[in-house]
Each structure stands twice: as structure tokens, then as C-alpha cells.
Amino acid sequence: IRSAGLDLPITLIQMTDAATLEAIRRVEQTPLRELVNVSMEDVTTQMDSLLNPELDSSSFYHRWETQQWAVSDLDFSADKVHWANIPPPVQKTLRTTMILFFVGEQIVTDTLAPVLHAAPLEDERIFLATQIADEARHTVFFQRFFAEVLGHEGGIHSAMLEFRPKTRAGYRRIFDVELVNAIDACRLEPRDPVAFVNALVTYHLVIEGFLALGGQRQTLRLLRKIGILPGFVNGFTAVARDESRHIGFGVLALRRRVAENPEMARVIAKKVYDIVPSAVDVVIGPDEKLPFDDISEVPEPMRLNVLEARDFVIDSLTKRLRSSGLSHRVVGEIDDHMRSLYADAWSRYEANHGVEHPVRYWERVTANA
């Protein structure tokens, strides 16, 4: 039911305060050229609204139709000037994050088709077709930004040859092993519900709902805070809006499988446990030294609170696991497990490089607050 211009169940609209509805409206209806004014807090609010169990796949498809955007409409002229003036440690960190997104979007564009074929229901296959189109557009967005702002010529193929070998070990385990295995299982056994569930957990929950969402939030909050790269912010916010649909659909499809067979909840939990160690390593990068020895080398407005970022992504993932049908007990155990993985990764970083990880600075800030 559409009410107040929003494609949301009328019961949800009646139970939601005006400020939240306005945040959802901003995300859902703002045109591309004005997305620079939409905060990641608004995007998060809108994304959480898509967990409502009354939503069906047609509502996600409707959003895809009404939220179309074109990479060719973005203006990167100011971004090129801004990029040259970003402090080197921050520039290198941003470039690393952008490379991970660029490579990931292309890998998913290449590999998602077997998941579409394995989807049991027609409406699920229709939505997944829109997602493949989205992933291709995201790849073109990064290719254009890298060419016009970072000066990387040669097209997508050249970029993949250069950047893919430079990704982190945890990243390669997820994209070259976990994702490939999940996609191959769907290709070989397209009617196996376990294969379909494992693919959804790998891509929609962990890659998009944990890795991508966390990276988008940190990057967009930083760029908006210091007021730089407006073309990239417009495009990357559009990417985040697209992926809110993907994640919402993934939760819907998993919820359906659990409703059909409660044993699927165990399959979801097992796959999460299998993947999250590599996912946390992607976030922390314990084998890759940061481009500074001490956080004091980073201008204060550009410092990222890694404790707050950890709490956000764990909360985001566990919220979607509960909405998929996992019990509060199991979700709580996954939450505890992920926090221990973060602690271990930070300690390994320090052991590998002989310097404090920036998390210690934020621990002291928190303790003194």
C-alpha cells in the first residue's frame, strides 16, 4: 500500500513517527543530483524499514523502477580538485576502500546469474534480474570515478588486472573462495534450497549487509563531514540506496525459506560462522599496515571511530539475522563471536606491525568520556 508517497505497509506508516517517515522519504525520493544532502543515518533508517515482514518482492521491484539513476549524469569536476588536496594517509585509506568496492562490484556482476536461476519463485527471479543490472551500473560508476578522478585509464578489464591482486587476504577468501563456491553450488544444484540459502547469506547478508554497508557508512560520513568529493558522494549514496533493496530482498527470501523449513535457520547460522572470520579480516586488515604509525598523524575531523563502526556493522547484521528467522539466543551468540573476532584481529595487527592499532586511541577516548 502506498501512503504519503511511500511504498510501505499502511500499518508501518501509522506506527512510525514523522521524523522517521521523513528520513525514509528523503532516501526513497531524492533525485541523484541532490543525494549529496542525504545522510547515511537517513539511509540506515530507510534500510531498517525494509525489514518489515509485510513487504513483498513487488515493493522492492517498485523501488527499483522509481529509483533509477545514470552514471553519466554525475559531475566529477570538483572531485578531481578535492582529491589532489586530501592528506596522503587519508587519500591512501580512501583509495584502498574504493578499490575493494570496485573489484567487488565487478565480481558480483560476473557471478550472480546462477543465484537468479536457482531462485525458487518467479518474483524472486524478477528481482534478482534487477539486482544484476544494479551491480553492473555500480561497476561503471567506480570505473568512471577511477578514470576521471584517480587517473586510472584502460577500462574495467585493465582495472581488474591491476587491482584484484592487491586486495586483502580475507577479501580474496570471501570473493574467490566462499562466493565462488556458493555460486557454483547454485549452478550445479539449482533446486537445492541449501545452496540457494548459502548464496543469499554469502552475498546479501555478509558481503552487502556487513562489508559493503559498513564501508559505505564510514566513507560517506567522512566525506560529508569534511565536505569533499560531491560527485562521488552522490553516486555512492545512490549505490547504498540500491543495496538497501538488495539486502531487504535477501532477508525476505531467507525468511521465506525458514518459514518453509525451520532447519534453514541452522543453515544460515552455520554459513555466517563460516564466513565472518574472513569478513572481519577484510575490515581490519591485520596483515596490512595502515599508512600512519599513530592516529595523531590523521587530522582530527578525518579520524574514524572504529569502535563505533564495529558496533554498527554487528548490530546491522544481527538485526537482519533476527528478521530472517534466527532465534535471539543464536543471534546473541553470533554477536559475541564477532566481537571476539574483532579483538583478535586488532591484536594480530599490533603483533604484525609493532604499533598500536587506532582502536586503542578510541578505547581511551571512551574510557575518559
Side-chain angles (χ1 to χ4, degrees), residues 29-304:
Q29 299 178 4
T30 297
L32 178 67
R33 66 183 179 278
E34 298 173 17
L35 282 176
V36 69
N37 300 315
V38 173
S39 71
M40 270 307 294
E41 284 68 29
D42 285 349
V43 174
T44 301
T45 298
Q46 182 263 356
M47 196 174 295
D48 287 348
S49 75
L50 300 184
L51 297 178
N52 188 284
E54 294 185 42
L55 292 175
D56 60 18
S57 60
S58 66
S59 68
F60 295 112
Y61 178 82
H62 170 72
R63 284 174 170 80
W64 179 77
E65 285 193 333
T66 59
Q67 294 170 1
Q68 290 295 303
W69 59 283
V71 175
S72 58
D73 289 340
L74 294 167
D75 180 4
F76 291 134
S77 55
D79 298 50
K80 189 170 183 179
V81 176
H82 292 167
W83 184 262
N85 294 301
I86 297 174
V90 178
Q91 189 184 87
K92 183 173 180 180
T93 300
L94 282 172
R95 189 173 187 273
T96 297
T97 299
M98 292 170 177
I99 285 174
L100 297 180
F101 272 97
F102 189 1
V103 174
E105 297 288 2
Q106 179 59 36
I107 291 173
V108 173
T109 302
D110 287 345
T111 59
L112 197 59
V115 183
L116 184 159
H117 181 57
L121 301 176
E122 290 81 359
D123 65 306
E124 294 171 342
R125 293 193 288 274
I126 287 172
F127 179 82
L128 285 165
T130 73
Q131 182 173 343
I132 293 173
D134 287 341
E135 307 298 356
R137 176 169 49 207
H138 301 169
T139 302
V140 173
F141 161 66
F142 279 101
Q143 185 273 326
R144 188 177 160 218
F145 179 82
F146 268 72
E148 296 184 22
V149 179
L150 275 62
H152 188 281
E153 301 294 344
I156 293 173
H157 181 68
S158 171
M160 293 304 105
L161 288 177
E162 178 179 344
F163 296 145
R164 193 161 179 173
K166 297 178 180 178
T167 55
R168 295 169 175 171
Y171 186 96
R172 292 192 295 274
R173 284 195 296 274
I174 288 178
F175 282 91
D176 295 343
V177 179
E178 295 288 353
L179 182 61
V180 168
N181 289 345
I183 298 302
D184 277 351
C186 284
R187 180 176 57 81
L188 296 171
E189 299 289 343
R191 297 298 168 256
D192 179 2
V194 172
F196 184 60
V197 164
N198 282 335
L200 292 177
V201 172
T202 302
Y203 188 68
H204 292 78
L205 288 194
V206 176
I207 291 177
E208 284 198 314
F210 177 77
L211 289 176
L213 177 58
Q216 288 161 354
R217 181 174 181 266
Q218 285 198 83
T219 302
L220 287 170
R221 290 179 82 192
L222 171 64
L223 298 179
R224 281 176 52 82
K225 181 179 179 181
I226 57 181
I228 61 172
L229 306 183
F232 182 84
V233 170
N234 273 331
F236 206 32
T237 304
V239 169
R241 183 170 63 183
D242 289 347
E243 293 187 352
S244 75
R245 297 192 301 269
H246 306 167
I247 297 166
F249 167 80
V251 171
L252 167 66
L254 290 171
R255 189 188 301 129
R256 286 176 171 179
R257 306 292 92 79
V258 173
E260 293 167 357
N261 178 5
E263 183 61 24
M264 289 298 108
R266 190 186 304 274
V267 174
I268 294 170
K270 182 180 183 304
K271 179 53 66 174
V272 170
Y273 272 106
D274 287 345
I275 300 176
V276 291
S278 296
V280 171
D281 274 4
V282 174
V283 175
I284 305 302
D287 298 326
E288 180 181 326
K289 190 177 182 303
L290 292 167
F292 53 86
D293 288 333
D294 189 273
I295 198 169
S296 63
E297 299 171 39
V298 179
E300 191 165 349
M302 297 183 177
R303 297 175 190 174
L304 299 173

Side-chain angles (χ1 to χ4, degrees), residues 364-369:
R364 290 191 291 271
V365 168
T366 302
N368 294 328

